[in-house]
Amino acid sequence: MSRFWKTGAWTFFATLTLTLFTLAWCEASRTNSTTSQRSKQDQGPSSIERVKRGWVWNQFFVVEEYTGTEPLYVGKIHTDSDEGEGNIKYTISGEGAGTIFIIDELTGDIHATERLDREEKAFYTLRAQARDRQSNDPLEPESEFVIKVQDINDSEPKFLEGPYIGSVAELSPIGTSVMKVSASDADDPTYGSSARVIYGVLDGERFFTVDRHTGIIMTAVADLDRETQDRYELVVKATDMAGQMGGLSGSTTVTIVITDVNDNPPRFQQKMYQFSVSEAAAVGTPVGRVIATDSDMGENTDMSYLIKEGGELFKVTTDVESQEAVVAIKKPLNYESKRTHNVVVEAVNKHLDPRFADLGSFRDQTIVRVSVSDVDEPPIFQPEDGTIIEVQEDAKPGALVGIVSARDPDSTNKPVRFSIDRTTDQEMIFHIDPDSGAITLGKVLDRETAGWHNITVKAVEAGNVKTPLSIRILDVNDNPPELARPYEASICEDAKPGQLIHTISVVDKDEPQTGHRFIFTLAPEASSNRHFTLWDVKDNTAGIRTQRSGFNRHEQNVYLLPILVVDNGPPSLSSTSTLTIHVCGCDTEGTIQSCNATAYVMSAALSPGALIALLVCMLILIVLVLLILTLKRHRKGQRMTEDEEDMRDNVIKYNDEGGGEQDTQAYDISALRNLYDFPEAKSCDSGPDIHSLPQWVPASRVGGVSEGATAASADFSLFKGYIRKKVEQADADLTVPPYDSFQTYAFEGTSSPALSLSSIHTLSTTSEQDFSYLSNWGPRFRQLAGYYSTKEWDFIC
């Protein structure tokens, strides 16, 4: 199937046949064919098979900015199955369909109803469809086509980045690039020459040119001078249609700033400047200011000044802010010597450009004439900065110390009178002759009290002039040497012979010119000393060494060693000082452990910090002990409460004689059989020594009374304190049950007819039982009888 297009003045023929076959379309075609055949079979024997067709498309073009009153014809869509019977309906859809673009359903003609602008939208994409007018079934697959808006030259070039500002250095060569301008045209650059732009200079073409294709602005002359004109205004035009007739154009303003280069030397406005200054002006006083000007700007105007002639008495500096040359006094001026000075000052550029070296010298000179005016000057001391005078310490009052001199520098040469500023000599130690300047001594000097005296001497003529004067007191050896501090030394008892135990040094208030030299010896009273020796180290110190071994602090704990020190004079003076040596006990490493002087040992052994730490530790230990005792007392009180409850049961439980010797659960009877085995008695302070108690000696009865009982009464009298102590402890101990030992260890067995021997009854002071019959029970009960006899029990209780 082919399609024929017709637009305006042009007729477009189909040049390319595009057959669209897709699986979906083929399947749809087969389905439609099958359905159609079946329908035809139902209707009759004849059937027509559907032919597959394709669309052929070219782009539609429509001219922009159409101003006609009728809709603009765009083109026509057509299918060869259309035989002109009007049974086919054409439709379009997509961008602008039904609004901008309309179609005649019968003929397929497309018209544009609105004025189009390519710069707003360059093309429109639509879809075409051919349908059966009766059944509305599609006769062709829907196909896409494009309507492109054809450009006309309706947009002028525009400089979107303007206004432009550029810069170029002065004296730049011809053709130096300054900057680039660029204009844009909204027309279609692919169609015709509507968007082809060229550039030109409308105003300022004498100094600058522009490349017509690139828009680069360049210098047209080589003598651009910033000092003459520092900026230029250019008008640059851009024209489309490549500059052909009928093209549109636009323009912009370009400002070009001329930057400075150092092409101008400094220049003084005058060749001579005159200033006046007093001869009394101090060094550093400014005399005047001069300035050299420079036509350049910025750092190109920076300059420095120097003195070419006359720099002996004057100096020049540069004021950074004002770029002025400041001429100042370098040395004192003297009207009497020279009254006029000519100083040559030169200005030089700091930043030289070698490109402009051929323009000449970048420096200039001027003469500064300085006139010195006369003043009445005060006297001048000789020397001017004062001096040092030396005098012996032992000089007598009235002795000459020294002479000061001063003169009048003026031509009149007036006489000068001298005096001492008493604020510097309030004690009036020195006097001065007002005419001659001779200084004499007014009081006796003592170098050890004041080695220097700084006084001020006045010279009076037209004004007061002062000069400092230092008087040094020369030393005389009038002070003996002495130990630097009261020395104390210590040695160990096991010190070896020749051991160095201390080093001593001395001080001397004198200051001999040749320096100190001291001689150390033992004093004559220590010549017979056999314990220590003195060793002169020859550097004004001495060492003390042991001469023997075997010191004993219990025999003698302190040794006094007198030492004689002699200086080198003249005259030689000496003094005797005593060194105290303590004998101390030391450990194996030689560390002092203790001396007789407790304070000394403590100071040597423990520092204040260590003592504080020790006290803190002791306090912590005391707190811990108190805490432990409090906890034990608390627990003991709890146990006492529990034991009091148990006491009621225990009394009931043990109120019988026990099980006899066969009772293996009872207390060990061996404790009663061995009278001397009382280990708990060793810690008792009130009881006697158990090992010193007498042994029981059995005896026969005499007169109805046992002799052994009598002996026991005598032998066991030492038990009184011990037994009483143990009974009291047993009664007072609330932590254990009240076990009855005597009740538990009866020997009669289960069938014994004896009565109870419970100690509960025996503790009563009113008990008068007679237990002497216990002696008849056998040798094992005789000792018990001695305990429980009436007489003995009363004694014990």
Side-chain angles (χ1 to χ4, degrees):
M1 184 178 294
S2 63
R3 179 178 295 163
F4 174 78
W5 306 96
K6 187 175 183 181
T7 62
W10 294 279
T11 302
F12 295 89
F13 294 93
T15 59
L16 178 64
T17 301
L18 178 63
T19 305
L20 303 175
F21 294 99
T22 62
L23 294 176
W25 172 250
C26 292
E27 186 64 27
S29 299
R30 295 191 189 99
T31 304
N32 293 336
S33 298
T34 304
T35 306
S36 178
Q37 289 175 2
R38 291 177 181 176
S39 177
K40 294 295 183 178
Q41 289 176 359
D42 295 339
Q43 295 177 0
S46 62
S47 64
I48 300 175
E49 184 178 1
R50 180 180 177 86
V51 180
K52 300 177 181 177
R53 304 182 184 275
W55 292 82
V56 179
W57 298 100
N58 283 336
Q59 274 188 338
F60 291 130
F61 292 90
V62 58
V63 179
E64 68 171 333
E65 304 294 343
Y66 173 70
T67 58
T69 58
E70 298 295 331
L72 179 63
Y73 179 75
V74 178
K76 181 183 183 67
I77 60 175
H78 184 75
T79 176
D80 54 2
S81 62
D82 188 0
E83 297 178 354
E85 297 177 355
N87 57 352
I88 297 177
K89 180 177 66 174
Y90 297 98
T91 61
I92 60 174
S93 61
E95 296 178 336
T99 55
I100 300 176
F101 303 103
I102 59 175
I103 186 171
D104 190 326
E105 295 182 352
L106 185 61
T107 63
D109 292 333
I110 301 174
H111 290 81
T113 62
E114 297 181 6
R115 181 178 178 180
L116 303 179
D117 188 357
R118 191 203 66 82
E119 285 71 34
E120 292 182 2
K121 189 171 180 61
F123 62 90
Y124 297 85
T125 303
L126 295 93
R127 293 178 297 279
Q129 179 73 58
R131 295 179 178 272
D132 185 273
R133 185 175 294 276
Q134 298 296 329
S135 63
N136 201 32
D137 294 331
L139 301 178
E140 299 287 350
E142 188 178 56
S143 181
E144 186 177 271
F145 66 97
V146 175
I147 298 177
K148 186 174 182 181
V149 182
Q150 189 172 4
D151 182 55
I152 64 174
N153 189 20
D154 60 341
S155 299
E156 72 277 4
K158 296 181 180 180
F159 293 92
L160 302 179
E161 299 178 2
Y164 294 89
I165 299 177
S167 63
V168 64
E170 62 176 329
L171 301 181
S172 296
I174 297 176
T176 301
S177 176
V178 179
M179 62 182 303
K180 180 180 179 179
V181 295
S182 178
S184 60
D185 197 316
D187 292 324
D188 189 359
T190 64
Y191 180 76
S193 300
S194 299
R196 293 181 58 189
V197 179
I198 62 173
Y199 302 93
V201 178
L202 292 181
D203 189 8
E205 66 275 8
R206 176 185 170 188
F207 302 101
F208 299 94
T209 61
V210 61
D211 188 285
R212 58 179 297 162
H213 298 292
T214 62
I216 297 176
I217 300 176
M218 297 169 290
T219 58
V221 295
D223 58 351
L224 293 175
D225 187 7
R226 187 201 64 80
E227 288 74 29
T228 302
Q229 185 174 351
D230 60 352
R231 66 177 54 222
Y232 294 86
E233 300 288 342
L234 303 182
V235 177
V236 179
K237 182 180 70 172
T239 307
D240 61 7
M241 298 294 292
Q244 299 177 7
M245 184 176 295
L248 304 178
S249 64
S251 62
T252 186
T253 300
V254 179
T255 301
I256 300 177
V257 179
I258 308 302
T259 59
D260 184 62
V261 297
N262 192 9
D263 59 339
N264 294 282
R267 290 288 182 264
F268 285 104
Q269 299 299 321
Q270 301 175 208
K271 292 301 180 182
M272 178 179 291
Y273 297 87
Q274 291 188 355
F275 300 99
S276 177
V277 65
S278 171
E279 65 170 337
V283 173
T285 302
V287 174
R289 290 172 173 254
V290 297
I291 187 172
T293 58
D294 194 327
S295 301
D296 297 321
M297 62 182 299
E299 68 175 9
N300 294 326
T301 62
D302 293 346
M303 62 187 71
S304 59
Y305 298 92
L306 53 94
I307 293 180
K308 300 297 291 184
E309 296 180 11
E312 298 82 6
L313 300 178
F314 299 92
K315 63 180 179 179
V316 64
T317 57
T318 304
D319 190 324
V320 179
E321 295 182 359
S322 63
Q323 291 294 310
E324 292 179 312
V326 181
V327 181
I329 299 174
K330 183 179 180 180
K331 291 182 179 181
L333 303 178
N334 192 338
Y335 172 82
E336 288 74 24
S337 299
K338 191 174 183 180
R339 302 180 181 182
T340 303
H341 301 270
N342 292 327
V343 182
V344 178
V345 179
E346 184 178 66
V348 182
N349 270 135
K350 286 185 177 180
H351 308 286
L352 297 179
D353 195 333
R355 296 177 300 171
F356 310 110
D358 56 345
L359 297 180
S361 176
F362 284 81
R363 59 184 63 208
D364 194 19
Q365 294 181 350
T366 187
I367 298 175
V368 177
R369 176 167 292 178
V370 181
S371 298
V372 181
S373 59
D374 185 32
V375 294
D376 191 2
E377 299 174 82
I380 299 176
F381 280 96
Q382 296 176 342
E384 298 180 8
D385 298 333
T387 185
I388 297 176
I389 300 176
E390 295 180 347
V391 59
Q392 289 290 337
E393 178 182 11
D394 55 353
K396 304 299 181 183
L400 178 64
V401 176
I403 299 175
V404 296
S405 61
R407 65 176 181 84
D408 183 7
D410 297 324
S411 57
T412 57
N413 195 15
K414 297 178 181 179
V416 178
R417 296 183 63 82
F418 301 95
S419 64
I420 295 178
D421 186 355
R422 286 305 172 186
T423 59
T424 61
D425 185 24
Q426 297 180 357
E427 298 180 1
M428 302 184 67
I429 300 176
F430 303 97
H431 300 287
I432 188 170
D433 186 278
D435 298 320
S436 64
I439 300 174
T440 57
L441 190 62
K443 291 183 179 180
V444 177
L445 301 175
D446 184 9
R447 192 205 62 82
E448 286 70 36
T449 303
W452 288 82
H453 293 274
N454 297 317
I455 64 175
T456 300
V457 177
K458 295 181 181 179
V460 181
E461 183 259 321
N464 293 339
V465 179
K466 300 179 181 180
T467 184
L469 184 64
S470 297
I471 300 177
R472 180 183 180 184
I473 310 303
L474 298 179
D475 183 55
V476 173
N477 192 25
D478 55 352
N479 292 279
E482 55 187 14
L483 291 181
R485 64 178 184 273
Y487 279 107
E488 286 190 353
S490 59
I491 61 172
C492 297
E493 290 182 303
D494 57 351
K496 302 297 187 294
Q499 178 178 340
L500 178 64
I501 62 173
H502 209 76
T503 302
I504 61 175
S505 61
V506 297
V507 294
D508 194 335
K509 296 180 180 180
D510 296 320
E511 291 184 2
Q513 297 181 357
T514 58
H516 288 293
R517 177 67 183 93
F518 303 108
I519 301 174
F520 298 86
T521 59
L522 292 177
E525 57 269 24
S527 58
S528 60
N529 168 64
R530 296 180 293 103
H531 309 290
F532 306 98
T533 59
L534 183 66
W535 171 47
D536 192 345
V537 187
K538 304 299 183 181
D539 61 350
N540 293 336
T541 61
I544 307 299
R545 295 180 181 272
T546 56
Q547 193 173 0
R548 67 177 182 86
S549 61
F551 292 92
N552 190 338
R553 57 176 170 160
H554 299 290
E555 295 179 359
Q556 183 175 354
N557 64 334
V558 176
Y559 291 89
L560 301 178
L561 187 64
I563 300 174
L564 177 65
V565 184
V566 183
D567 62 15
N568 56 336
S572 296
L573 300 178
S574 64
S575 67
T576 301
S577 301
T578 301
L579 176 64
T580 303
I581 303 175
H582 298 271
V583 180
C584 303
C586 304
D587 57 12
T588 56
E589 297 181 356
T591 304
I592 295 176
Q593 297 295 325
S594 63
C595 298
N596 286 351
T598 305
Y600 176 78
V601 174
M602 289 299 292
S603 63
L606 293 177
S607 63
L611 290 175
I612 294 174
L614 181 59
L615 293 176
V616 170
C617 293
M618 293 176 64
L619 181 61
I620 293 173
L621 290 176
I622 292 172
V623 172
L624 290 176
V625 170
L626 293 176
L627 181 61
I628 292 172
L629 291 177
T630 303
L631 292 176
K632 283 187 175 181
R633 180 172 297 178
H634 179 68
R635 293 177 181 176
K636 185 175 181 181
Q638 293 179 350
R639 287 198 300 268
M640 287 173 61
T641 304
E642 296 175 357
D643 293 341
E644 288 175 358
E645 296 177 358
D646 296 336
M647 283 288 290
R648 293 173 294 178
D649 296 337
N650 293 337
V651 171
I652 296 173
K653 181 178 179 180
Y654 295 100
N655 191 16
D656 56 291
E657 297 178 356
E661 292 181 345
Q662 304 304 321
D663 189 356
T664 59
Q665 297 181 357
Y667 190 84
D668 188 4
I669 197 171
S670 61
L672 291 177
R673 292 178 179 176
N674 190 354
L675 296 178
Y676 307 121
D677 188 11
F678 296 101
E680 69 276 6
K682 296 180 181 180
S683 60
C684 182
D685 297 333
S686 60
D689 189 357
I690 194 64
H691 295 287
S692 62
L693 296 177
Q695 186 175 1
W696 173 266
V697 179
S700 59
R701 298 178 59 91
V702 180
V705 180
S706 175
E707 295 179 359
T710 304
S713 177
D715 295 339
F716 286 92
S717 60
L718 298 177
F719 276 100
K720 179 181 67 172
Y722 174 74
I723 295 298
R724 181 179 297 171
K725 181 67 175 178
K726 299 307 292 182
V727 171
E728 292 176 355
Q729 290 180 353
D731 291 340
D733 192 355
L734 301 178
T735 62
V736 298
Y739 292 108
D740 191 347
S741 300
F742 295 114
Q743 165 193 319
T744 304
Y745 299 110
F747 290 95
E748 65 273 17
T750 57
S751 60
S752 174
L755 299 177
S756 173
L757 296 178
S758 174
S759 60
I760 297 177
H761 300 288
T762 61
L763 289 176
S764 175
T765 55
T766 60
S767 178
E768 297 180 357
Q769 299 180 23
D770 186 9
F771 296 98
S772 60
Y773 64 90
L774 294 176
S775 301
N776 299 328
W777 290 2
R780 296 183 177 180
F781 287 87
R782 291 175 182 172
Q783 184 174 352
L784 186 63
Y787 279 107
Y788 282 87
S789 64
T790 304
K791 186 176 181 180
E792 184 67 15
W793 178 254
D794 294 339
F795 173 77
I796 294 175
C797 295

